[in-house]
């Protein structure tokens, strides 16, 4: 799902040391949450405990979220399920060629199956556990590092032949 263009940008034309990427790479993310206090809590937790995440925006409904998704090349979307004028699944249905991972952030556990069916990368229950948030971000970060590693291997072998 990760954009080939983004991998090329991260890797450049030559092989790049993954430890350098690990130290410098930032995950680009947005928060989609209708409750202001929940947005503030998540924003503060990300700022304090997840320094490798750069927030590019926040949305309080699916229309605002859709605009942000169209505007930015995102790695992560922190997504509440229940919102006015539509829900998380309505938003994901609107987005064609999804290239970001979705971390569901909700007070309801009964959406978990539907979230998994919509390729959730993680499912956080409110109140948000800081440890679980860190784990969710780290999982996504490591996934991208693995993709970069594989991309470099493929590129190396293509040059060889």
């Amino acid at each position: 799902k990760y954009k080939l263009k983004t991998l090329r940008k991260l890797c450049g034309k030559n092989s790049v040391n993954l430890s350098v990427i690990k130290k410098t790479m930032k995950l680009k993310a947005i928060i989609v949450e209708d409750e202001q206090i929940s947005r503030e809590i998540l924003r503060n937790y990300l700022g304090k405990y997840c320094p490798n995440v750069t927030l590019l925006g926040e949305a309080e409904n699916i229309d605002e979220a859709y605009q942000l998704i169209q505007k930015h090349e995102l790695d992560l979307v922190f997504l509440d399920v229940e919102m006015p004028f539509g829900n998380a699944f309505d938003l994901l249905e609107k987005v064609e060629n999804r290239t970001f991972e979705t971390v569901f952030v909700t007070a309801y556990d009964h959406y978990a199956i539907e979230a998994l069916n919509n390729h959730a990368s993680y499912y956080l229950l409110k109140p948000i556990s800081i440890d679980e948030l860190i784990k969710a971000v780290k999982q996504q970060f490591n996934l991208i590092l693995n993709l970069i590693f594989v991309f470099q291997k493929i590129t190396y072998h293509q040059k060889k032949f």
Side-chain angles (χ1 to χ4, degrees):
K1 289 202 268 188
Y2 206 68
K3 288 186 177 180
L4 192 57
K5 184 171 111 180
T6 303
L7 288 172
R8 285 194 178 114
K9 188 170 31 172
L10 286 169
C11 297
K13 292 184 179 180
N14 302 314
S15 181
V16 175
N17 187 332
L18 286 179
S19 63
V20 171
I21 290 175
K22 195 173 186 177
K23 291 176 187 173
T24 59
M25 185 174 70
K26 299 275 190 179
L27 299 177
K28 295 172 287 189
I30 63 170
I31 296 172
V32 182
E33 168 65 65
D34 62 313
E35 298 173 7
Q36 182 179 351
I37 189 73
S38 294
R39 282 195 312 274
E40 289 172 6
I41 290 169
L42 183 53
R43 180 186 337 110
N44 290 335
Y45 282 1
L46 288 168
K48 187 171 184 177
Y49 301 106
C50 302
N52 57 346
V53 173
T54 299
L55 278 179
L56 300 180
E58 297 178 13
E60 61 182 57
N61 59 56
I62 64 170
D63 291 332
E64 289 176 10
Y66 185 75
Q67 290 173 8
L68 286 172
I69 289 167
Q70 296 303 306
K71 182 179 178 182
H72 300 289
E73 284 187 29
L74 299 169
D75 299 307
L76 277 173
V77 173
F78 292 93
L79 184 58
D80 185 21
V81 176
E82 291 188 356
M83 290 174 280
F85 313 113
N87 65 33
F89 308 111
D90 297 329
L91 172 63
L92 294 175
E93 193 175 293
K94 281 176 71 170
V95 178
E96 295 179 17
N97 302 318
R98 215 181 321 160
T99 58
F100 55 85
E101 294 296 326
T102 307
V103 175
F104 285 85
V105 184
T106 183
Y108 308 101
D109 62 358
H110 61 271
Y111 290 113
I113 299 296
E114 193 170 358
L116 288 171
N117 289 337
N118 278 276
H119 310 285
S121 67
Y122 216 88
Y123 197 89
L124 292 171
L125 285 174
K126 295 176 189 173
I128 297 170
S129 157
I130 293 167
D131 290 337
E132 286 297 311
L133 176 63
I134 292 168
K135 189 175 171 185
V137 169
K138 189 173 188 177
Q139 178 179 302
Q140 178 60 23
F141 192 82
N142 288 334
L143 171 70
I144 293 171
L145 284 177
N146 287 334
L147 287 171
I148 291 168
F149 176 76
V150 169
F151 181 79
Q152 287 182 338
K153 287 280 190 196
I154 291 169
T155 304
Y156 171 78
H157 288 293
Q158 285 177 342
K159 288 178 184 177
K160 204 172 175 182
F161 294 103

